[in-house]
Amino acid sequence: MKRRLACIGLLFAVVDLAFADPDMAAARKRRAESPHGPMLERILPPGFEPRQLPQPESRGAQLTMRYCVQCHNLPNPAMHHAAKWPAIVERMVLRMQGRGNMGTLMSEMMAGVEAPSGPEAHALLAYLARNAQKPLDVQKYPEVNRPSGEAFRLACQQCHVLPDPQRHTATQWPAVVARMQENMEWMNRVTGTRPVQGEPQLRVEDINAFLAKYAKKAPR
């Protein structure tokens, strides 16, 4: 079993290298060598890999890998919904230009960072918005506001809008939920590792049950 897992890990590493690009490798090296590296590393949780990007060979995906990893780990386009991405991209471009809200420190942190051109920023935003999180429609899923939807509602809305269960199939959701649990631990969100009286706890089984009930039907 361990040998099989090792082989799978090696395969994923090879796939990631296939999608890797010199600009992305250089950005990671610059971040690792930066005196601000440890702070930048904490901005986004690790674990989302190039092979997991939607249409990984598209221009939008390539721009995401080129520019976004200069300062932090690779973002998942689904971490925000479409209406939220424009302001975020605008703010990030300003920061890459060294014109953020931290004055001289921002300029120092962005030393060596390349900002996208106007057309590139437009293409990047279009890609992120196209693959953004699709918010759950409460009218379509009224159960989300009932006790049976509480675990899902309390956990997921800590970091983003509630996702539409139709985004994945019932067999795909558990892996997504597991990755989100790792992200919550990274970001010090409520994960239920050490229950505190009165504090909401992460109930993974209940979350998966809710999502499976309304998940996208698997293709036959």
Side-chain angles (χ1 to χ4, degrees):
M1 182 66 179
K2 290 183 178 179
R3 182 176 296 177
R4 180 181 297 178
L5 291 174
C7 291
I8 292 174
L10 179 60
L11 175 62
F12 282 167
V14 171
V15 172
D16 286 339
L17 283 174
F19 288 134
D21 147 312
D23 291 326
M24 186 172 179
R28 285 178 168 172
K29 182 175 184 295
R30 186 200 68 80
R31 194 175 72 223
E33 295 175 348
S34 169
H36 307 290
M39 180 174 68
L40 296 171
E41 184 73 15
R42 295 297 306 180
I43 294 174
L44 287 181
F48 188 73
E49 302 294 340
R51 59 183 167 80
Q52 295 173 292
L53 283 169
Q55 307 93 47
E57 296 182 353
S58 67
R59 185 183 184 216
Q62 295 299 315
L63 289 172
T64 302
M65 289 188 284
R66 178 178 182 183
Y67 291 109
C68 299
V69 299
Q70 293 181 105
C71 303
H72 49 65
N73 291 309
L74 185 66
N76 181 347
M79 69 185 295
H80 298 299
H81 57 292
K84 192 171 182 179
W85 271 120
I88 292 173
V89 171
E90 181 180 8
R91 186 169 70 248
M92 294 301 104
V93 170
L94 285 174
R95 289 180 176 179
M96 284 185 273
Q97 295 171 343
R99 298 190 291 135
N101 58 351
M102 299 172 69
T104 303
L105 177 58
M106 181 61 68
S107 298
E108 293 175 354
M109 291 173 64
M110 296 300 108
V113 167
E114 181 183 3
S117 65
E120 286 178 325
H122 180 78
L124 176 59
L125 174 57
Y127 171 79
L128 294 171
R130 186 168 61 251
N131 297 287
Q133 186 69 259
K134 181 182 178 182
L136 174 146
D137 183 351
V138 178
Q139 300 299 318
K140 186 177 179 180
Y141 306 104
E143 187 179 350
V144 73
N145 286 321
R146 298 172 188 160
S148 55
E150 181 183 57
F152 164 73
R153 186 180 71 253
L154 293 180
C156 299
Q157 68 182 3
Q158 293 182 89
C159 302
H160 49 66
V161 294
L162 293 176
D164 190 326
Q166 291 279 307
R167 187 176 181 89
H168 300 293
T169 66
T171 56
Q172 292 171 334
W173 269 120
V176 176
V177 171
R179 189 172 76 243
M180 294 303 102
Q181 182 176 7
E182 293 177 354
N183 289 351
M184 284 189 282
E185 292 172 351
W186 173 269
M187 300 175 74
N188 295 321
R189 300 287 184 172
V190 174
T191 60
T193 51
R194 293 184 179 181
V196 176
Q197 187 174 4
E199 181 182 71
Q201 298 303 307
L202 187 69
R203 304 198 303 273
V204 174
E205 290 184 3
D206 292 348
I207 294 171
N208 283 328
F210 176 86
L211 290 168
K213 184 175 181 178
Y214 298 106
K216 179 174 65 177
K217 300 298 182 184
R220 296 182 178 179

Short mmCIF file of all heavy atoms in Angstrom, two decimals, residues 83-136:
data_model
loop_
_atom_site.label_atom_id
_atom_site.label_comp_id
_atom_site.label_asym_id
_atom_site.label_seq_id
_atom_site.Cartn_x
_atom_site.Cartn_y
_atom_site.Cartn_z
N ALA A 83 -18.35 37.83 -8.33
CA ALA A 83 -18.54 39.25 -7.98
C ALA A 83 -17.41 39.79 -7.11
O ALA A 83 -17.20 41.01 -7.05
CB ALA A 83 -19.88 39.44 -7.28
N LYS A 84 -16.69 38.91 -6.44
CA LYS A 84 -15.64 39.36 -5.53
C LYS A 84 -14.27 39.47 -6.20
O LYS A 84 -13.41 40.23 -5.74
CB LYS A 84 -15.56 38.40 -4.34
CG LYS A 84 -14.72 38.91 -3.18
CD LYS A 84 -14.86 38.02 -1.95
CE LYS A 84 -14.04 38.57 -0.79
NZ LYS A 84 -14.19 37.72 0.43
N TRP A 85 -14.06 38.74 -7.30
CA TRP A 85 -12.74 38.70 -7.92
C TRP A 85 -12.25 40.05 -8.47
O TRP A 85 -11.06 40.36 -8.35
CB TRP A 85 -12.68 37.64 -9.00
CG TRP A 85 -12.28 36.27 -8.53
CD1 TRP A 85 -13.00 35.11 -8.63
CD2 TRP A 85 -11.05 35.90 -7.89
NE1 TRP A 85 -12.31 34.06 -8.08
CE2 TRP A 85 -11.11 34.51 -7.63
CE3 TRP A 85 -9.91 36.61 -7.51
CZ2 TRP A 85 -10.07 33.83 -7.00
CZ3 TRP A 85 -8.87 35.93 -6.87
CH2 TRP A 85 -8.95 34.55 -6.63
N PRO A 86 -13.09 40.88 -9.09
CA PRO A 86 -12.56 42.13 -9.67
C PRO A 86 -11.80 43.01 -8.68
O PRO A 86 -10.70 43.49 -8.97
CB PRO A 86 -13.81 42.84 -10.20
CG PRO A 86 -14.75 41.71 -10.52
CD PRO A 86 -14.52 40.70 -9.44
N ALA A 87 -12.37 43.24 -7.50
CA ALA A 87 -11.70 44.09 -6.51
C ALA A 87 -10.41 43.44 -6.02
O ALA A 87 -9.41 44.13 -5.76
CB ALA A 87 -12.64 44.35 -5.32
N ILE A 88 -10.40 42.12 -5.91
CA ILE A 88 -9.20 41.41 -5.44
C ILE A 88 -8.10 41.51 -6.48
O ILE A 88 -6.94 41.81 -6.15
CB ILE A 88 -9.53 39.94 -5.13
CG1 ILE A 88 -10.46 39.87 -3.91
CG2 ILE A 88 -8.26 39.13 -4.90
CD1 ILE A 88 -10.97 38.49 -3.61
N VAL A 89 -8.42 41.28 -7.74
CA VAL A 89 -7.40 41.37 -8.79
C VAL A 89 -6.86 42.79 -8.89
O VAL A 89 -5.64 42.99 -9.02
CB VAL A 89 -8.00 40.92 -10.15
CG1 VAL A 89 -7.02 41.23 -11.29
CG2 VAL A 89 -8.31 39.42 -10.13
N GLU A 90 -7.73 43.78 -8.80
CA GLU A 90 -7.29 45.18 -8.84
C GLU A 90 -6.32 45.47 -7.69
O GLU A 90 -5.27 46.09 -7.90
CB GLU A 90 -8.49 46.12 -8.75
CG GLU A 90 -8.10 47.59 -8.80
CD GLU A 90 -9.31 48.52 -8.70
OE1 GLU A 90 -10.42 48.02 -8.43
OE2 GLU A 90 -9.13 49.75 -8.88
N ARG A 91 -6.65 44.97 -6.50
CA ARG A 91 -5.78 45.20 -5.34
C ARG A 91 -4.45 44.47 -5.50
O ARG A 91 -3.39 45.02 -5.17
CB ARG A 91 -6.50 44.73 -4.07
CG ARG A 91 -5.73 45.04 -2.79
CD ARG A 91 -6.59 44.81 -1.57
NE ARG A 91 -6.85 43.39 -1.33
CZ ARG A 91 -8.03 42.80 -1.44
NH1 ARG A 91 -9.10 43.51 -1.81
NH2 ARG A 91 -8.19 41.53 -1.18
N MET A 92 -4.49 43.25 -6.03
CA MET A 92 -3.26 42.49 -6.19
C MET A 92 -2.34 43.11 -7.25
O MET A 92 -1.11 43.12 -7.09
CB MET A 92 -3.59 41.04 -6.58
CG MET A 92 -4.30 40.22 -5.51
SD MET A 92 -3.38 40.08 -3.95
CE MET A 92 -4.30 41.25 -2.92
N VAL A 93 -2.92 43.62 -8.33
CA VAL A 93 -2.11 44.25 -9.37
C VAL A 93 -1.41 45.49 -8.80
O VAL A 93 -0.22 45.72 -9.05
CB VAL A 93 -2.96 44.63 -10.60
CG1 VAL A 93 -2.17 45.50 -11.57
CG2 VAL A 93 -3.44 43.36 -11.30
N LEU A 94 -2.12 46.28 -8.02
CA LEU A 94 -1.50 47.45 -7.39
C LEU A 94 -0.35 47.03 -6.50
O LEU A 94 0.71 47.69 -6.48
CB LEU A 94 -2.55 48.23 -6.59
CG LEU A 94 -3.55 49.07 -7.38
CD1 LEU A 94 -4.60 49.65 -6.45
CD2 LEU A 94 -2.83 50.18 -8.14
N ARG A 95 -0.54 45.95 -5.75
CA ARG A 95 0.53 45.48 -4.87
C ARG A 95 1.73 44.99 -5.67
O ARG A 95 2.88 45.24 -5.29
CB ARG A 95 -0.01 44.37 -3.96
CG ARG A 95 -0.96 44.90 -2.90
CD ARG A 95 -1.47 43.80 -1.99
NE ARG A 95 -2.32 44.35 -0.94
CZ ARG A 95 -2.92 43.61 -0.02
NH1 ARG A 95 -2.78 42.29 -0.01
NH2 ARG A 95 -3.67 44.19 0.91
N MET A 96 1.46 44.29 -6.77
CA MET A 96 2.58 43.82 -7.60
C MET A 96 3.35 44.98 -8.19
O MET A 96 4.54 44.87 -8.49
CB MET A 96 2.06 42.88 -8.70
CG MET A 96 1.71 41.49 -8.21
SD MET A 96 1.24 40.34 -9.53
CE MET A 96 -0.52 40.69 -9.67
N GLN A 97 2.68 46.10 -8.35
CA GLN A 97 3.34 47.33 -8.83
C GLN A 97 4.03 48.08 -7.71
O GLN A 97 4.62 49.14 -7.94
CB GLN A 97 2.30 48.24 -9.50
CG GLN A 97 1.69 47.65 -10.77
CD GLN A 97 0.52 48.46 -11.29
OE1 GLN A 97 -0.06 49.28 -10.57
NE2 GLN A 97 0.17 48.25 -12.55
N GLY A 98 3.96 47.53 -6.48
CA GLY A 98 4.59 48.17 -5.33
C GLY A 98 3.81 49.33 -4.78
O GLY A 98 4.34 50.15 -4.03
N ARG A 99 2.50 49.39 -5.13
CA ARG A 99 1.68 50.53 -4.71
C ARG A 99 0.56 50.08 -3.77
O ARG A 99 -0.56 50.57 -3.84
CB ARG A 99 1.08 51.23 -5.93
CG ARG A 99 2.13 51.80 -6.86
CD ARG A 99 1.51 52.68 -7.91
NE ARG A 99 0.70 51.93 -8.87
CZ ARG A 99 -0.49 52.31 -9.28
NH1 ARG A 99 -1.05 53.41 -8.78
NH2 ARG A 99 -1.15 51.61 -10.17
N GLY A 100 0.87 49.18 -2.87
CA GLY A 100 -0.14 48.68 -1.95
C GLY A 100 -0.35 49.60 -0.76
O GLY A 100 0.07 50.76 -0.76
N ASN A 101 -0.97 49.07 0.27
CA ASN A 101 -1.35 49.89 1.43
C ASN A 101 -0.33 49.82 2.57
O ASN A 101 -0.66 50.15 3.70
CB ASN A 101 -2.72 49.44 1.94
CG ASN A 101 -2.73 47.97 2.32
OD1 ASN A 101 -1.78 47.25 2.06
ND2 ASN A 101 -3.82 47.53 2.94
N MET A 102 0.89 49.40 2.26
CA MET A 102 1.89 49.27 3.32
C MET A 102 3.11 50.14 3.06
O MET A 102 4.18 49.92 3.62
CB MET A 102 2.31 47.80 3.48
CG MET A 102 1.14 46.89 3.87
SD MET A 102 1.56 45.13 3.84
CE MET A 102 2.68 45.03 5.24
N GLY A 103 2.97 51.11 2.17
CA GLY A 103 4.03 52.07 1.93
C GLY A 103 5.35 51.45 1.49
O GLY A 103 5.39 50.61 0.59
N THR A 104 6.43 51.87 2.13
CA THR A 104 7.77 51.40 1.77
C THR A 104 7.90 49.90 1.92
O THR A 104 8.55 49.23 1.11
CB THR A 104 8.83 52.10 2.65
OG1 THR A 104 8.70 53.52 2.51
CG2 THR A 104 10.23 51.67 2.25
N LEU A 105 7.28 49.34 2.95
CA LEU A 105 7.35 47.90 3.16
C LEU A 105 6.78 47.15 1.96
O LEU A 105 7.35 46.14 1.53
CB LEU A 105 6.60 47.50 4.43
CG LEU A 105 6.54 45.99 4.74
CD1 LEU A 105 7.93 45.43 4.87
CD2 LEU A 105 5.72 45.75 6.01
N MET A 106 5.69 47.64 1.38
CA MET A 106 5.11 46.99 0.22
C MET A 106 6.08 47.02 -0.96
O MET A 106 6.25 46.04 -1.67
CB MET A 106 3.79 47.66 -0.16
CG MET A 106 3.09 47.02 -1.37
SD MET A 106 2.65 45.28 -1.11
CE MET A 106 1.37 45.46 0.14
N SER A 107 6.74 48.15 -1.14
CA SER A 107 7.73 48.26 -2.22
C SER A 107 8.86 47.27 -2.02
O SER A 107 9.33 46.64 -2.97
CB SER A 107 8.28 49.68 -2.30
OG SER A 107 7.26 50.61 -2.59
N GLU A 108 9.31 47.11 -0.78
CA GLU A 108 10.38 46.15 -0.48
C GLU A 108 9.92 44.72 -0.73
O GLU A 108 10.67 43.91 -1.28
CB GLU A 108 10.83 46.32 0.97
CG GLU A 108 11.51 47.64 1.27
CD GLU A 108 11.82 47.80 2.75
OE1 GLU A 108 11.40 46.93 3.54
OE2 GLU A 108 12.48 48.80 3.10
N MET A 109 8.71 44.42 -0.31
CA MET A 109 8.18 43.07 -0.47
C MET A 109 8.00 42.72 -1.95
O MET A 109 8.14 41.56 -2.34
CB MET A 109 6.84 42.93 0.26
CG MET A 109 6.94 42.98 1.77
SD MET A 109 5.32 43.02 2.58
CE MET A 109 4.64 41.43 2.10
N MET A 110 7.70 43.72 -2.77
CA MET A 110 7.44 43.47 -4.19
C MET A 110 8.69 43.62 -5.06
O MET A 110 8.60 43.58 -6.27
CB MET A 110 6.36 44.43 -4.69
CG MET A 110 4.99 44.22 -4.04
SD MET A 110 4.30 42.55 -4.30
CE MET A 110 4.49 41.87 -2.64
N ALA A 111 9.85 43.79 -4.45
CA ALA A 111 11.09 43.89 -5.22
C ALA A 111 11.28 42.63 -6.06
O ALA A 111 11.26 41.52 -5.54
CB ALA A 111 12.28 44.08 -4.28
N GLY A 112 11.42 42.80 -7.35
CA GLY A 112 11.61 41.67 -8.24
C GLY A 112 10.32 41.06 -8.76
O GLY A 112 10.34 40.14 -9.57
N VAL A 113 9.19 41.56 -8.29
CA VAL A 113 7.90 41.04 -8.72
C VAL A 113 7.46 41.74 -10.00
O VAL A 113 7.61 42.95 -10.15
CB VAL A 113 6.83 41.24 -7.62
CG1 VAL A 113 5.43 41.00 -8.15
CG2 VAL A 113 7.11 40.31 -6.45
N GLU A 114 6.92 40.98 -10.92
CA GLU A 114 6.44 41.52 -12.19
C GLU A 114 4.92 41.62 -12.15
O GLU A 114 4.23 40.68 -11.75
CB GLU A 114 6.87 40.62 -13.34
CG GLU A 114 6.45 41.11 -14.70
CD GLU A 114 6.83 40.14 -15.81
OE1 GLU A 114 7.36 39.06 -15.49
OE2 GLU A 114 6.57 40.46 -16.98
N ALA A 115 4.38 42.76 -12.55
CA ALA A 115 2.93 42.95 -12.60
C ALA A 115 2.41 42.67 -14.00
O ALA A 115 3.11 42.93 -14.99
CB ALA A 115 2.57 44.38 -12.18
N PRO A 116 1.20 42.15 -14.12
CA PRO A 116 0.64 41.88 -15.45
C PRO A 116 0.31 43.17 -16.18
O PRO A 116 0.02 44.19 -15.57
CB PRO A 116 -0.63 41.08 -15.14
CG PRO A 116 -1.02 41.53 -13.77
CD PRO A 116 0.27 41.76 -13.05
N SER A 117 0.37 43.11 -17.50
CA SER A 117 -0.05 44.25 -18.31
C SER A 117 -1.57 44.37 -18.23
O SER A 117 -2.25 43.49 -17.69
CB SER A 117 0.38 44.03 -19.77
OG SER A 117 -0.32 42.92 -20.32
N GLY A 118 -2.10 45.47 -18.79
CA GLY A 118 -3.55 45.65 -18.78
C GLY A 118 -4.30 44.48 -19.41
O GLY A 118 -5.22 43.93 -18.80
N PRO A 119 -3.93 44.07 -20.64
CA PRO A 119 -4.61 42.93 -21.27
C PRO A 119 -4.44 41.63 -20.49
O PRO A 119 -5.37 40.82 -20.42
CB PRO A 119 -3.94 42.84 -22.65
CG PRO A 119 -3.48 44.25 -22.92
CD PRO A 119 -3.04 44.77 -21.59
N GLU A 120 -3.27 41.44 -19.89
CA GLU A 120 -3.05 40.23 -19.10
C GLU A 120 -3.92 40.22 -17.86
O GLU A 120 -4.51 39.19 -17.50
CB GLU A 120 -1.57 40.13 -18.70
CG GLU A 120 -0.64 39.75 -19.83
CD GLU A 120 0.81 39.72 -19.41
OE1 GLU A 120 1.20 40.55 -18.55
OE2 GLU A 120 1.57 38.88 -19.91
N ALA A 121 -4.03 41.37 -17.18
CA ALA A 121 -4.88 41.46 -15.99
C ALA A 121 -6.34 41.19 -16.36
O ALA A 121 -7.07 40.53 -15.61
CB ALA A 121 -4.73 42.83 -15.34
N HIS A 122 -6.75 41.68 -17.52
CA HIS A 122 -8.12 41.46 -17.98
C HIS A 122 -8.36 39.97 -18.24
O HIS A 122 -9.40 39.42 -17.85
CB HIS A 122 -8.37 42.27 -19.26
CG HIS A 122 -9.76 42.11 -19.81
ND1 HIS A 122 -10.85 42.76 -19.27
CD2 HIS A 122 -10.23 41.36 -20.84
CE1 HIS A 122 -11.94 42.42 -19.95
NE2 HIS A 122 -11.59 41.57 -20.90
N ALA A 123 -7.41 39.31 -18.90
CA ALA A 123 -7.54 37.88 -19.19
C ALA A 123 -7.51 37.05 -17.90
O ALA A 123 -8.24 36.06 -17.77
CB ALA A 123 -6.41 37.44 -20.12
N LEU A 124 -6.67 37.46 -16.96
CA LEU A 124 -6.58 36.77 -15.67
C LEU A 124 -7.90 36.87 -14.91
O LEU A 124 -8.41 35.86 -14.39
CB LEU A 124 -5.44 37.36 -14.84
CG LEU A 124 -5.25 36.83 -13.42
CD1 LEU A 124 -4.98 35.33 -13.44
CD2 LEU A 124 -4.10 37.56 -12.74
N LEU A 125 -8.46 38.07 -14.86
CA LEU A 125 -9.73 38.27 -14.18
C LEU A 125 -10.85 37.46 -14.84
O LEU A 125 -11.68 36.85 -14.16
CB LEU A 125 -10.10 39.75 -14.16
CG LEU A 125 -11.48 40.10 -13.59
CD1 LEU A 125 -11.63 39.59 -12.16
CD2 LEU A 125 -11.71 41.61 -13.65
N ALA A 126 -10.88 37.45 -16.17
CA ALA A 126 -11.91 36.71 -16.89
C ALA A 126 -11.82 35.22 -16.56
O ALA A 126 -12.84 34.55 -16.36
CB ALA A 126 -11.76 36.92 -18.39
N TYR A 127 -10.61 34.70 -16.46
CA TYR A 127 -10.41 33.28 -16.13
C TYR A 127 -10.88 32.98 -14.71
O TYR A 127 -11.59 32.00 -14.47
CB TYR A 127 -8.93 32.93 -16.29
CG TYR A 127 -8.57 31.56 -15.76
CD1 TYR A 127 -8.85 30.41 -16.50
CD2 TYR A 127 -7.95 31.41 -14.52
CE1 TYR A 127 -8.53 29.15 -16.02
CE2 TYR A 127 -7.62 30.16 -14.03
CZ TYR A 127 -7.91 29.03 -14.78
OH TYR A 127 -7.59 27.79 -14.30
N LEU A 128 -10.49 33.82 -13.77
CA LEU A 128 -10.87 33.60 -12.38
C LEU A 128 -12.39 33.70 -12.20
O LEU A 128 -12.99 32.89 -11.49
CB LEU A 128 -10.17 34.62 -11.47
CG LEU A 128 -8.64 34.49 -11.38
CD1 LEU A 128 -8.05 35.68 -10.64
CD2 LEU A 128 -8.25 33.18 -10.71
N ALA A 129 -13.00 34.69 -12.85
CA ALA A 129 -14.45 34.86 -12.74
C ALA A 129 -15.19 33.70 -13.38
O ALA A 129 -16.22 33.23 -12.87
CB ALA A 129 -14.87 36.18 -13.37
N ARG A 130 -14.68 33.23 -14.50
CA ARG A 130 -15.33 32.12 -15.22
C ARG A 130 -15.31 30.83 -14.40
O ARG A 130 -16.22 30.00 -14.50
CB ARG A 130 -14.63 31.91 -16.56
CG ARG A 130 -15.30 30.90 -17.47
CD ARG A 130 -14.73 30.95 -18.88
NE ARG A 130 -13.31 30.67 -18.95
CZ ARG A 130 -12.36 31.56 -19.20
NH1 ARG A 130 -12.68 32.82 -19.41
NH2 ARG A 130 -11.09 31.21 -19.25
N ASN A 131 -14.27 30.66 -13.61
CA ASN A 131 -14.12 29.44 -12.82
C ASN A 131 -14.32 29.67 -11.32
O ASN A 131 -13.90 28.88 -10.49
CB ASN A 131 -12.74 28.83 -13.07
CG ASN A 131 -12.56 28.40 -14.51
OD1 ASN A 131 -13.14 27.42 -14.96
ND2 ASN A 131 -11.77 29.15 -15.26
N ALA A 132 -14.98 30.78 -10.99
CA ALA A 132 -15.19 31.16 -9.60
C ALA A 132 -16.20 30.23 -8.92
O ALA A 132 -16.89 29.44 -9.56
CB ALA A 132 -15.67 32.60 -9.53
N GLN A 133 -16.28 30.40 -7.61
CA GLN A 133 -17.26 29.64 -6.83
C GLN A 133 -18.67 30.05 -7.25
O GLN A 133 -18.97 31.24 -7.38
CB GLN A 133 -17.07 29.95 -5.34
CG GLN A 133 -17.92 29.13 -4.42
CD GLN A 133 -17.49 27.67 -4.40
OE1 GLN A 133 -18.12 26.83 -5.02
NE2 GLN A 133 -16.42 27.39 -3.67
N LYS A 134 -19.51 29.07 -7.47
CA LYS A 134 -20.92 29.35 -7.77
C LYS A 134 -21.68 29.34 -6.46
O LYS A 134 -21.78 28.30 -5.81
CB LYS A 134 -21.49 28.32 -8.73
CG LYS A 134 -22.95 28.57 -9.09
CD LYS A 134 -23.49 27.49 -10.01
CE LYS A 134 -24.96 27.73 -10.33
NZ LYS A 134 -25.54 26.66 -11.20
N PRO A 135 -22.22 30.48 -6.03
CA PRO A 135 -22.90 30.52 -4.73
C PRO A 135 -24.15 29.65 -4.68
O PRO A 135 -24.85 29.48 -5.67
CB PRO A 135 -23.26 32.01 -4.56
CG PRO A 135 -22.36 32.73 -5.51
CD PRO A 135 -22.16 31.80 -6.65
N LEU A 136 -24.39 29.11 -3.53
CA LEU A 136 -25.59 28.33 -3.30
C LEU A 136 -26.82 29.24 -3.33
O LEU A 136 -26.80 30.33 -2.76
CB LEU A 136 -25.48 27.60 -1.97
CG LEU A 136 -26.69 26.83 -1.44
CD1 LEU A 136 -26.22 25.58 -0.68
CD2 LEU A 136 -27.53 27.70 -0.51
#
